[in-house]
Structure formats: C-alpha cells, structure tokens
Amino acid sequence: MAGRDEPGGVTTARLELLHAEGVAVSVDGRLILAPTTLAFTRGQVVGIIGHNGSGKTTLLRCLARQYTPTAGRISLGGRPLAAWGARAFARQLAYLPQQTPASTGLTGRELVALGRYPWHGPLGRIGPQGRLAIEDAMRLADTEAFADRLVDHLSGGERQRVWIAMLIAQETGFILLDEPIAALDLAHQIAVLGVLRSLSRHRNAGIVLVLHDINMAARFCDTILALRGGAVIAWGDPAAIMTAEVLETVYGIPMRVLTDDASGHKIGVPV
C-alpha cells in the first residue's frame, strides 16, 4: 500500500520485512547484545521481554536506527538502514523511546500533527489526508479530549497516549515502542495494547515493543522474543513461551503458569 499526503508529497511503498542479521553490540569490551538474527514482518505484534539489562532496549534502538551495532547488519526491505534518508526512513518506521522528548507549549493535536512531518517536510502544509490521519489517530488512541490541552499539563499516562497517537498519524509500516505502557494504569494499558494490536490487524502494521509484564505480552502479542544476558533464549508464540520452564529460564526464578478459567489466557506467576 502506498501513502500520499498533500500535492507534491512523496509516495512510498510500505515494505514488509525488517531483518537483523548477526547484530551484536559491545561497549568497552563488554557484550551487551550477542550476535542476533531475527526477522520482523508487518501484520504481527512482537513483544520483547526479559530482566533488566537483558538487551531489550539495545536491540530495539538498533532496529530503530537510534544505535549503530558493532557487528552485523540490519535492513528494511532488503536495504541497509544506513542507506535510508531520514524522511524516507521515517515514512517506513516510527519509534517511541522510554523517555519522550520535551513537548513544551504544544497542544495534543499539535503534537500528533508532528507525525505528519515525514510526509510534508519542514515547509509543506498538512493537506486533507494529513488532517484526516491526525483526527483518526487521536480517535484510535482515545486522545480526542486532549486535542486542545497543553501536553505539559497532562498526566504521564495521558501524555504517553498522545505520543502513541502521533506514531499512528505517521502512518508507517513498522512501529517500535520501548515500554509504552509503563506509565499507564491497568485500564489504559489494556486500551493501548488493544490499539496497537488493532493496527497490526487492520492496517497491517508491524508492531515491536518492549514489555516488562509477561502476562500482557502473552495476551496481546503474536510472538514473544525473550532475552537474557544479551542473548535470545526463546522466540515463539505465547503458547510456546508461557511454560514454567521457559519463564524460569527468562527471569531466573521459579515460575508457575496458570490458566484463567474465564478467558483461557495463560498467566505466569512467581512460585
């Protein structure tokens, strides 16, 4: 599917594959991420789990071109990440870090509108399709009530939802998020993960996100990637990951897996 904003905008095909081949990261001689080969496709939600310091954020930052690996190669649509221009890359992949940039003086709608920058550039004007994308993104992220409020005055959880709306407005094929629900209460965690899963289903977006809550990952993700000590130790669907043996290997403590009678969801709990 191609995307186009106002007249004079750039049409770009949505690419299907984000591929890491032998990607490794070392800092001061210490291996942070062991050589890793993975392929991420559109239409899937992939949750990255693991204990603190396991390499989750490092891997995500490499995929988002925020950090250059010390070994290996990452490509998008068969093209090395370094070969992409900034705007062309931003039309393909959106990234939300743990710590979002300052948004001083911006209303919710103005922040979401920044997601259209890759499509119209610094001097272009947002056209009808861009305005529609902004309103649609705010609706999907349930942030319409914040449209005219200063982002600085919102709660942490409300701000996070506006940032996610901005990513949706960017209309990319891949969206990468680092702990996007950390600041949210339980109801909004479920709502945001539901929005991301809906994007994967109905817009064929590839969602890759770091999560601390294994039970949320099991409920909303199609695939779970588990890291420990910088190495991939498990990669598969939730049914394959949600076993006591795998979870104990991931977290280093005895775990038990229960089944919720009402929903059928697997739930991992420490023993």
Side-chain angles (χ1 to χ4, degrees):
M1 177 179 178
R4 180 181 290 276
D5 204 330
E6 46 282 326
V10 179
T11 299
T12 303
R14 299 288 192 264
L15 301 177
E16 297 289 336
L17 185 66
L18 179 63
H19 184 227
E21 184 177 359
V23 170
V25 174
S26 296
V27 177
D28 296 329
R30 184 167 66 95
L31 190 64
I32 305 298
L33 183 68
T36 300
T37 297
L38 299 162
F40 302 90
T41 60
R42 291 177 55 198
Q44 295 284 308
V45 180
V46 178
I48 306 176
I49 65 166
H51 60 82
N52 289 340
S54 62
K56 303 185 301 295
T57 292
T58 298
L59 173 60
L60 196 75
R61 290 181 68 193
C62 288
L63 294 171
R65 207 171 71 166
Q66 301 294 307
Y67 196 97
T68 302
T70 51
R73 176 180 184 270
I74 302 176
S75 61
L76 176 61
R79 185 179 181 185
L81 294 195
W84 287 87
R87 280 183 61 196
F89 186 69
R91 289 190 288 265
Q92 298 288 343
L93 186 146
Y95 168 67
L96 187 69
Q98 289 183 35
Q99 300 297 324
T100 54
S103 50
T104 305
L106 294 176
T107 65
R109 182 178 285 108
E110 288 169 339
L111 178 56
V112 176
L114 293 179
R116 300 305 302 170
Y117 171 82
W119 297 101
H120 62 71
L123 301 179
R125 300 183 63 180
I126 297 176
Q129 181 175 325
R131 290 193 293 271
L132 180 62
I134 291 165
E135 297 305 319
D136 192 40
M138 298 196 75
R139 178 184 57 80
L140 286 172
D142 192 22
T143 56
E144 292 165 302
F146 314 139
D148 299 315
R149 293 177 59 186
L150 289 175
V151 176
D152 294 349
H153 295 174
L154 301 177
S155 70
E158 291 168 344
R159 281 197 301 272
Q160 189 77 339
R161 286 159 54 200
V162 175
W163 278 101
I164 289 173
M166 189 201 73
L167 299 187
I168 297 172
Q170 198 170 329
E171 291 192 307
T172 59
F174 287 92
I175 299 178
L176 279 54
L177 311 97
D178 196 352
E179 299 187 39
I181 62 172
L184 306 183
D185 59 39
L186 183 59
H188 285 122
Q189 287 181 23
I190 292 172
V192 165
L193 291 176
V195 167
L196 294 174
R197 186 168 63 179
S198 178
L199 286 172
S200 76
R201 300 292 189 270
H202 302 301
R203 294 192 177 182
N204 196 34
I207 311 294
V208 184
L209 66 164
V210 171
L211 292 171
H212 270 299
D213 190 328
I214 180 58
N215 297 317
M216 286 293 187
R219 179 172 177 176
F220 287 97
C221 296
D222 301 298
T223 301
I224 296 176
L225 168 62
L227 299 175
R228 183 171 177 83
V232 175
I233 59 173
W235 165 267
D237 61 36
I241 304 300
M242 292 298 287
T243 70
E245 294 77 15
V246 171
L247 294 185
E248 183 170 345
T249 302
V250 173
Y251 294 108
I253 58 174
M255 298 285 290
R256 180 169 56 177
V257 175
L258 309 175
T259 301
D260 179 71
D261 291 336
S263 65
H265 295 308
K266 298 289 185 181
I267 303 171
V269 295
V271 174

